[in-house]
Amino acid sequence: MFQSVKKMNENEIRPRNLLDKQRELMLQDIEYLLSFQDQFIEVPCPACKGDNFKKIFEKFSMTYNTCDNCQTMFISPRPTPKILGDFYANSANYDYWATHIFPTSEKVRTEKIFRPRAERVRQLCEKYESASHTMIEIGAGYGTFGYEVQKLGFVNRYIAVEPSNSLAEKCKSRGLEVINKPIEQANFESESIDIICSFEVVEHLFNPLDILETCYRILKPGGLIIVTNPNGKGFDVVTAPQISTTVDVEHLNYFNPDSMEILLGNAGFEVIEVMTPGLLDTDIVRNMFLNGDLKQSDNPFLYQILIDKWDEVGSSFQEFLVNNKLSSHMWTIARKKN
């Protein structure tokens, strides 16, 4: 049902000439975060709240665990909400993305990510016969998605919820209606919103259930919530978690299709569709081989697919990942029951 999306490679949205500096600043951010490590706290599984989990590896001095019940991967111990707030407010890495990487790649991101994203949301609203009077986007960032939504004209009112002052100003510069505070503090009336979108937010949150319960309260009965986040059972995460850039200190939670259903169910929602429409999985892992981060001896079969037979089977292998919910980019669509 969804419109076709043009092929994309990793370098288009993460220009290689900028990544050395980005990594340097990321390591500075990690050093800052780890200076508070003695204040980190243990948490249960962020999806099912289970206490039975096992440590699977360490990366950047953070401990990654897998829940025995729902297989969610998550960081614990983790920074407190206050430490996280200070971290994002002072992040040199985030500032570099905002001032260099996003502006450099904005044109291709709009064409290949945000415009297709807006069209996919439009089609989902049509598919599930959702009322489209009022939409909010949690964490609207630069406002690119909201701008594309308004161009399509399928909602009467779009509201960007963006806590960052600088990003809120960017949204306003695009002519968007903006609420410059976290969704929990936005004072929306109960059952006043038709559609809520949250793109790449829940993986960053100390306790995602809190924000989802707020979403449930303000959605109208029958209203849709559309959430995207990394798939903890996705290709690059499972293949090489210690190399994958998806696995970093900012991403505390790595839900999978099953555990997202548990998480949203705990907030009261009924999950009606899960998809993993990623475009970059094969390109990302292929680049691990090309850059020397992965060796042929590490996984000869994947080397054969992604290097030796790339031109013949690369595209079909990516389609296989998408069709079997094995891409690392996951969408979950849920509804507030009538």
Side-chain angles (χ1 to χ4, degrees):
M1 66 169 278
F2 298 119
Q3 78 175 118
S4 60
V5 179
K6 295 179 181 179
K7 289 184 178 180
M8 178 169 56
N9 64 65
E10 187 179 14
N11 184 55
E12 288 183 295
I13 62 169
R14 300 169 191 150
R16 291 189 183 93
N17 63 311
L18 299 177
L19 291 185
D20 286 344
K21 181 64 175 179
Q22 181 269 327
R23 180 172 176 80
E24 175 188 331
L25 295 174
M26 179 190 74
L27 293 174
Q28 287 182 22
D29 278 1
I30 292 170
E31 184 178 357
Y32 168 83
L33 192 62
L34 292 177
S35 69
F36 300 97
Q37 196 165 25
D38 62 339
Q39 300 176 42
F40 289 8
I41 58 177
E42 295 274 2
V43 296
C45 172
C48 70
K49 300 303 178 184
D51 289 322
N52 295 319
F53 53 87
K54 56 181 175 291
K55 173 181 174 181
I56 50 175
F57 63 88
E58 285 192 1
K59 184 176 180 180
F60 300 126
S61 298
M62 307 288 270
T63 300
Y64 293 77
N65 311 275
T66 300
C67 175
D68 293 341
N69 178 47
C70 67
Q71 285 75 59
T72 295
M73 185 171 79
F74 61 100
I75 290 177
S76 181
R78 62 177 50 183
T80 64
K82 182 181 186 309
I83 294 171
L84 286 171
D86 292 342
F87 169 74
Y88 287 118
N90 295 288
S91 170
N93 180 31
Y94 262 59
D95 183 66
Y96 187 76
W97 274 87
T99 57
H100 291 79
I101 297 179
F102 279 128
T104 301
S105 60
E106 183 173 18
K107 183 177 179 180
V108 71
R109 284 175 179 271
T110 298
E111 178 186 357
K112 296 189 177 182
I113 296 177
F114 292 107
R115 190 168 298 144
R117 178 181 288 175
E119 176 60 22
R120 176 173 279 129
V121 170
R122 185 194 70 77
Q123 293 178 20
L124 284 167
C125 291
E126 182 179 286
K127 177 180 179 180
Y128 293 109
E129 300 179 339
S130 171
S132 52
H133 302 295
T134 304
M135 169 191 286
I136 63 173
E137 181 187 1
I138 299 172
Y142 269 64
T144 315
F145 169 76
Y147 182 72
E148 294 298 323
V149 164
Q150 292 199 330
K151 282 170 60 178
L152 287 174
F154 68 95
V155 295
N156 297 335
R157 183 185 182 195
Y158 164 90
I159 305 170
V161 177
E162 178 48 63
S164 163
N165 293 333
S166 60
L167 292 176
E169 288 303 315
K170 184 68 175 178
C171 289
K172 290 176 184 177
S173 75
R174 293 181 180 272
L176 301 177
E177 180 180 351
V178 180
I179 294 180
N180 184 199
K181 59 180 66 175
I183 183 70
E184 301 93 327
Q185 301 172 20
N187 297 321
F188 286 108
E189 293 182 6
S190 295
E191 301 188 348
S192 62
I193 306 299
D194 297 291
I195 309 159
I196 297 176
C197 294
S198 170
F199 303 111
E200 288 82 56
V201 172
V202 295
E203 64 268 28
H204 296 267
L205 301 177
F206 180 85
N207 185 7
L209 184 60
D210 289 344
I211 197 170
L212 292 174
E213 288 178 336
T214 297
C215 292
Y216 187 85
R217 178 183 63 80
I218 66 176
L219 262 184
K220 295 177 182 177
L224 291 184
I225 182 169
I226 300 171
V227 181
T228 74
N229 54 282
N231 176 10
K233 290 189 176 181
F235 183 48
D236 65 285
V237 177
V238 172
T239 299
Q242 301 215 39
I243 301 171
S244 169
T245 55
T246 302
V247 181
D248 64 26
V249 296
E250 299 170 19
H251 295 168
L252 304 176
N253 314 300
Y254 302 80
F255 303 110
N256 56 65
D258 293 332
S259 66
M260 274 302 292
E261 185 164 1
I262 292 171
L263 174 64
L264 283 157
N266 286 340
F269 291 103
E270 173 192 16
V271 172
I272 52 180
E273 185 173 352
V274 180
M275 64 178 110
T276 65
L279 299 173
L280 292 177
D281 305 89
T282 51
D283 195 59
I284 288 171
V285 179
R286 172 178 161 82
N287 285 335
M288 293 179 186
F289 283 115
L290 293 175
N291 297 336
D293 297 320
L294 277 179
K295 308 296 183 186
Q296 181 177 4
S297 57
D298 294 329
N299 197 318
F301 180 69
L302 286 183
Y303 188 91
Q304 180 179 206
I305 292 175
L306 301 177
I307 303 297
D308 294 340
K309 296 184 176 295
W310 175 249
D311 292 337
E312 298 98 316
V313 302
S315 294
S316 58
F317 188 59
Q318 181 66 44
E319 290 177 11
F320 166 81
L321 296 174
V322 170
N323 292 336
N324 291 279
K325 299 181 183 178
L326 296 172
S327 167
S328 294
H329 176 56
M330 179 166 61
W331 284 58
T332 308
I333 301 90
R335 174 182 281 144
K336 181 173 180 176
K337 298 176 184 178
N338 287 306

